[in-house]
Amino acid sequence: MPGHSWRDDRLLAAILADIPGLQTRQSRLDLVYDVGPKLRDVVREHGRPRDHLREVVRTSRRTRTLPELRDVLLEAEPQDVGAHWFALAVTVLTASGPLPAGYMLHLIHELRELPPEFGMSTVDRYKAERRRAGRPLDADGLPVALSGLYDAQEDPAEPGGPLTRMTHFLGLLAEEARAHEQGERLAGLLARVPGRRGAAAGPSPGEALPEPEGRECQVIIQIRVQEAGPPVEAHMPFTRRSYFLRGFRYDRTGADEPRFHRATDPTEVFPGAELDLRGREFLLTWHQQAGSGAGGVTRYEFLLPDELLGHPVELWPGGPAGVPLSHGCQVVVRSLTRYDDSSIHHQWARRWDALDRDCEPGDALERIGWMGPDTVNSKDTGWSCPPGRYPPLRLTDAAQVEDWLRDHKDLTCLGLGAPYELHDPLMREAVRDALMYDGIPVVVWRRDAGDPRLLLDALRHGCPPALLAELPESVRGARQQRRRDPLSVGSHISLLWDDPSCVFRNQNSQMPGTRGAGTGEGAA
């Protein structure tokens, strides 16, 4: 299913979890059994109903049995409105219709938030119109009516195509929403039906709709900090190097391919000692000229050379008020070296594809693999490794990384027990090996050399990630805690978040696409 993401799975599982008939273990086992061996032979059982149903949805999507699951559910629960919402959502994800799948999933989420009787007056009104026209519609509820309209075929004998009929129905539904005390958000969504005359053809660049369970809109802003001049020795500090800056903006909806929006011209070359000053000036100019996209999810990706991966770019202000970028949006760093070298992208894409693959939502932080210098026998007190799935790697030589990661092929997120610093050759080489040779896509650490366990506490306190794909938002939440305290853990978090499918040969043209983490879709 092109574009199908873990957010879609969450919506489907949430619908199933609201069906009373699926609360017993036996009813869920019967449902899976009736779908057939393609599902029942591979799905794993969980004790909690919601966890079990999430696994059923994920496995159905992976085995391409969602249509069969839909049909069995409708036969087992024909009177439950949730079964019909599930049927509509599966139809949207598995068939082509008159409106974009992302819009429809957002609409389903919003409609389910309203009382179950909402929409019935619209259905009755529309059915009366159809009867008068001699083309009756058989629908006894809102999800059934929407399913019929979405899955309708072209009929030469009937005026107007499926899009015309669907948008007319949604126009009637908007009237009911405007009269409903809880329908303000839904009315706003229905005012933007793609394809309706007078409505936008979709979100404008940077416009975002609040879609917690459906397809989210996102603005991706990439800032390249590019080294200028001839190559220099690896240990040379950044203050003695020269750089220039350039920015790019892309917009995307859900798992759809992002659209190139605009780019800025390169800045003049400047000395590294002026990096923070020039970075602040650049972002202020960017804010004035390019905009960052009001609302939705905005992520700044700083593509940095090796010597700057630990630089606190998230503290640069995003506008004239001087508020740090990280207080208003996600801010991550990326390896410019790896980004520019397509010869090493295969391993990188493989690790990214495994980010959340076959993982139940839970405490995603337990799937961080920790590595740091072995300082147990030195005067240093060493670092304390948080508990988790993987045994820690206590480094005495960077060459140890190869064997450790070979033993853990599903490890995708590294935690550093000591800061990544250019003047520390052990950590520098160990991280470089993990990125360039083994394709690790995600790395998180404290720049202040503090206890890694406190870093995890900060992530869990603000916005605990159920999946590693949620880590950028979790880090943003941690950075906002005690935001005026320069000694807080959140003020010293670095997150390298390297999506390999965000790799573009020519940044001034349309890019091939950004895929969802862990969906099995590699770099374009």
Side-chain angles (χ1 to χ4, degrees):
M1 268 158 265
H4 194 104
S5 74
W6 61 269
R7 291 184 179 85
D8 304 332
D9 292 346
R10 286 174 59 186
L11 174 60
L12 293 175
I15 296 173
L16 292 180
D18 286 341
I19 298 176
L22 296 180
Q23 295 304 304
T24 67
R25 173 178 178 270
Q26 190 58 51
S27 65
R28 298 191 298 275
L29 294 178
D30 290 344
L31 179 69
V32 170
Y33 184 86
D34 289 343
V35 171
K38 288 180 66 177
L39 180 61
R40 67 171 177 253
D41 291 350
V42 293
V43 70
R44 293 177 296 177
E45 183 182 347
H46 293 263
R48 295 175 56 206
R50 184 174 290 270
D51 292 342
H52 192 185
L53 291 170
R54 281 174 176 163
E55 179 62 19
V56 169
V57 166
R58 288 168 60 87
T59 308
S60 297
R61 182 250 303 167
R62 200 165 57 245
T63 57
R64 298 183 181 275
T65 55
L66 273 176
E68 290 87 344
L69 179 64
R70 171 195 61 199
D71 296 343
V72 169
L73 179 64
L74 284 173
E75 185 174 350
E77 301 284 347
Q79 303 304 317
D80 194 288
V81 67
H84 294 284
W85 282 124
F86 185 82
L88 172 60
V90 171
T91 299
V92 165
L93 286 168
T94 57
S96 59
L99 293 177
Y103 181 88
M104 289 297 300
L105 293 175
H106 185 185
L107 181 62
I108 292 170
H109 169 72
E110 292 295 338
L111 288 170
R112 291 183 64 246
E113 293 292 305
L114 294 174
E117 65 273 11
F118 176 82
M120 282 308 303
S121 63
T122 296
V123 173
D124 292 341
R125 180 180 173 185
Y126 186 69
K127 288 170 64 176
E129 287 184 4
R130 298 274 298 215
R131 282 196 301 271
R132 288 195 295 270
R135 298 181 178 87
L137 175 69
D138 183 16
D140 58 358
L142 181 57
V144 177
L146 288 171
S147 292
L149 289 165
Y150 186 84
D151 206 26
Q153 304 298 312
E154 291 283 354
D155 184 356
E158 186 172 1
L163 177 59
T164 300
R165 295 191 290 275
M166 173 67 89
T167 54
H168 174 63
F169 179 83
L170 294 183
L172 300 178
L173 193 63
E175 294 179 17
E176 184 175 350
R178 284 190 289 269
H180 196 282
E181 60 181 2
Q182 301 177 35
E184 182 179 352
R185 280 177 53 178
L186 177 62
L189 175 62
L190 292 170
R192 295 190 291 271
V193 175
R196 187 167 65 204
R197 184 173 300 176
S204 60
E207 179 186 4
L209 303 175
E211 302 176 273
E213 298 288 354
R215 303 288 183 91
E216 67 183 5
C217 293
Q218 185 178 42
V219 176
I220 300 171
I221 296 175
Q222 294 191 339
I223 309 294
R224 290 178 68 112
V225 183
Q226 183 77 53
E227 190 168 358
V232 298
E233 297 180 0
H235 65 273
M236 182 178 290
F238 77 91
T239 54
R240 296 174 57 190
R241 303 174 186 234
S242 298
Y243 302 94
F244 64 90
L245 300 169
R246 197 170 187 201
F248 304 83
R249 169 178 165 174
Y250 304 89
D251 301 327
R252 72 168 177 177
T253 302
D256 297 338
E257 292 187 357
R259 302 186 308 274
F260 173 77
H261 185 71
R262 69 158 296 156
T264 64
D265 293 331
T267 66
E268 63 180 9
V269 175
F270 57 85
E274 299 178 5
L275 177 61
D276 288 329
L277 172 63
R278 297 302 187 102
R280 287 171 166 82
E281 292 176 346
F282 181 84
L283 288 179
L284 180 59
T285 302
W286 175 274
H287 177 83
Q288 294 170 339
Q289 295 183 358
S292 59
V297 178
T298 298
R299 183 167 73 233
Y300 276 78
E301 300 182 343
F302 285 86
L303 280 68
L304 305 175
D306 292 350
E307 69 273 11
L308 291 175
L309 284 179
H311 201 76
V313 290
E314 78 279 356
L315 298 180
W316 290 355
V323 177
L325 270 177
S326 56
H327 290 179
C329 58
Q330 300 173 3
V331 182
V332 302
V333 300
R334 302 189 59 172
S335 168
L336 181 60
T337 305
R338 177 166 63 179
Y339 184 99
D340 282 338
D341 188 350
S342 60
S343 68
I344 58 174
H345 289 177
H346 178 73
Q347 272 287 80
W348 181 18
R350 185 190 68 77
R351 291 270 183 180
W352 177 265
D353 290 346
L355 190 67
D356 285 317
R357 189 172 56 213
D358 299 329
C359 294
E360 280 296 307
D363 188 354
L365 300 178
E366 292 182 350
R367 293 192 283 116
I368 297 177
W370 290 90
M371 114 180 149
D374 183 7
T375 54
V376 174
N377 297 320
S378 71
K379 294 180 181 179
D380 196 324
T381 58
W383 58 283
S384 299
C385 176
R389 175 184 297 186
Y390 306 100
L393 175 60
R394 297 189 178 275
L395 291 162
T396 57
D397 190 307
Q400 295 171 273
V401 174
E402 177 183 357
D403 291 337
W404 185 58
L405 290 178
R406 185 188 298 117
D407 291 340
H408 305 295
K409 295 185 182 300
D410 62 337
L411 195 159
T412 57
C413 179
L414 273 184
L416 303 185
Y420 173 89
E421 294 179 350
L422 197 65
H423 66 261
D424 181 344
L426 178 61
M427 290 302 295
R428 183 185 69 233
E429 293 305 316
V431 171
R432 183 177 174 85
D433 269 24
L435 297 182
M436 305 304 168
Y437 289 93
D438 298 289
I440 291 294
V442 183
V443 187
V444 63
W445 70 94
R446 290 181 62 169
R447 290 190 300 270
D448 60 352
D451 188 340
R453 292 174 299 183
L454 298 181
L455 166 59
L456 296 188
D457 289 345
L459 294 175
R460 290 189 175 106
H461 178 73
C463 182
L467 295 167
L468 287 173
E470 300 170 356
L471 199 53
E473 184 61 20
S474 183
V475 168
R476 187 182 76 89
R479 286 167 171 164
Q480 290 180 323
Q481 299 169 35
R482 296 166 53 199
R483 60 192 182 194
R484 299 185 66 84
D485 182 1
L487 299 181
S488 69
V489 173
S491 298
H492 299 278
I493 298 177
S494 280
L495 174 64
L496 182 141
W497 182 263
D498 238 346
D499 179 350
S501 57
C502 257
V503 176
F504 322 120
R505 302 294 299 184
N506 180 356
Q507 288 224 35
N508 287 315
S509 60
Q510 296 260 347
M511 64 184 181
T514 303
R515 307 297 187 195
T519 59
E521 298 177 89

